[in-house]
Amino acid sequence: MPRWLQAVWTRPVLLLWLPPAFWAGNLVIGRAVSQTMPPVSLAVGRWLVALLLLLPFVAPAMWRQRALLWRHRWLIALCGGFGIAGYNALAYVALQTSPAANVAFLNSTLPLMIPLVAMGLGREPVGLRVLVAVVISFAGVAWIVARGSWAALLALQLAPGDLLVLLAVLNYALYSVLLRRRPAGLDALVFLAACMAAGLTVLLPFWIWELAHGARLPINAAAAGAVLYIGVFASLLAFILWNHCVARLGATVTGISFHLVAVFTALLAWLLLGEPIRGFHVAGIGLILSGFLLATVSPHVFRRAVPQQPSS
């Protein structure tokens, strides 16, 4: 690994912005293909791409660590079921019926759910500063969703898919907290590949059901490009980085970075769709960044991270 990359890797707070940037692209693409790409098929496609790209690098290590993988099979099954299968499939189903504003707002509850799940499972303490940071950044997302008007936010109507969004977010909160239970001796990429395989196993019967009920896969360059982008960037790279940050910084601090998805979505809409950046975007982005910096910037944050050993 090059020295500069090693320096960044050992300071994971510098990597926190990358998964939200990749997921913002996933959100834009997911909306674009929601009417033509069956949701479970999209979830299966993205994880097949990610797993096939990862396997050549981790297959020998997976074989060497097969006994350890089997010993922790239930943790792998839970992480695969919640983070790989549950979150993504439910989110894509919800995108078919829920307005974009609802999805963006409800997705932003993830940093609020993670500390609740963490406290409920007794995995990590949550400090007052971090809780305040979560609230500030959440207010920024709400202000963007409301387009600068609290009346507009209060006027949001529940759509059929909104409960699915909340369920999807709960799935990812559970996944993020359970990541801290990865045993110290189990390689991080081996663990991720095993979780991908477990998630695909969970998705398989739902995919068969979807195809049996008339779903058709679009065969064109746009669909292939969407699956490749989501598989490489929003799945493989984003999850490697997210898992690394959770292992080093904790699920709660890492979770706050999820609010950056709203920042990058606004920027992508400006760059790719020509949508203007308005005053409420600037105010909301300011609140999000303020909360993010409050949670992550401290005297020790930019020093080399000392790995926290997961429990066995």
Side-chain angles (χ1 to χ4, degrees), residues 30-57:
R31 290 173 188 164
V33 302
S34 62
Q35 299 305 312
T36 58
M37 177 71 77
V40 180
S41 298
L42 181 56
V44 169
R46 68 181 285 183
W47 290 113
L48 273 177
V49 168
L51 182 58
L52 290 175
L53 288 173
L54 185 58
L55 270 180
F57 299 97

Side-chain angles (χ1 to χ4, degrees), residues 51-272:
L51 182 58
L52 290 175
L53 288 173
L54 185 58
L55 270 180
F57 299 97
V58 301
M62 290 185 77
W63 177 253
R64 291 193 300 270
Q65 295 194 313
R66 62 190 183 278
L68 193 56
L69 287 171
W70 178 251
R71 191 180 312 152
H72 296 279
R73 60 191 179 278
W74 292 114
L75 174 63
I76 292 168
L78 289 173
C79 286
F82 288 133
I84 305 300
Y87 173 72
N88 296 282
L90 289 170
Y92 289 139
V93 171
L95 278 171
Q96 295 189 319
T97 57
S98 289
N102 290 35
V103 174
F105 181 68
L106 295 173
N107 252 315
S108 69
T109 62
L110 176 66
L112 299 173
M113 283 194 187
I114 285 178
L116 295 177
V117 172
M119 289 186 291
L121 296 180
R123 296 310 301 166
E124 62 184 63
V126 180
L128 178 61
R129 187 180 67 145
V130 172
L131 289 177
V132 171
V134 169
V135 172
I136 291 173
S137 60
F138 179 76
V141 176
W143 194 243
I144 292 175
V145 172
R147 304 183 70 81
S149 168
W150 292 122
L153 185 62
L154 294 174
L156 284 178
Q157 299 293 317
L158 287 178
D162 287 354
L163 290 179
L164 288 179
V165 180
L166 285 174
L167 185 57
V169 172
L170 177 60
N171 271 250
Y172 204 72
L174 286 164
Y175 167 76
S176 297
V177 174
L178 287 171
L179 280 177
R180 301 280 279 178
R181 298 191 179 188
R182 176 176 62 85
L186 184 56
D187 181 81
L189 292 182
V190 168
F191 180 76
L192 178 58
C195 289
M196 289 180 183
L200 283 167
T201 302
V202 173
L203 286 171
L204 183 60
F206 297 98
W207 189 36
I208 294 172
W209 183 89
E210 183 179 75
L211 295 176
H213 283 74
R216 294 292 178 266
L217 302 180
I219 308 298
N220 53 57
V227 172
L228 283 174
Y229 170 85
I230 296 172
V232 174
F233 292 96
S235 302
L236 180 59
L237 295 180
F239 271 66
I240 288 174
L241 294 169
W242 181 270
N243 290 7
H244 175 65
C245 290
V246 168
R248 299 300 188 264
L249 302 174
T252 302
V253 172
T254 303
I256 294 175
S257 70
F258 195 80
H259 282 157
L260 295 176
V261 173
V263 175
F264 288 114
T265 300
L267 294 176
L268 284 174
W270 173 58
L271 289 171
L272 302 179

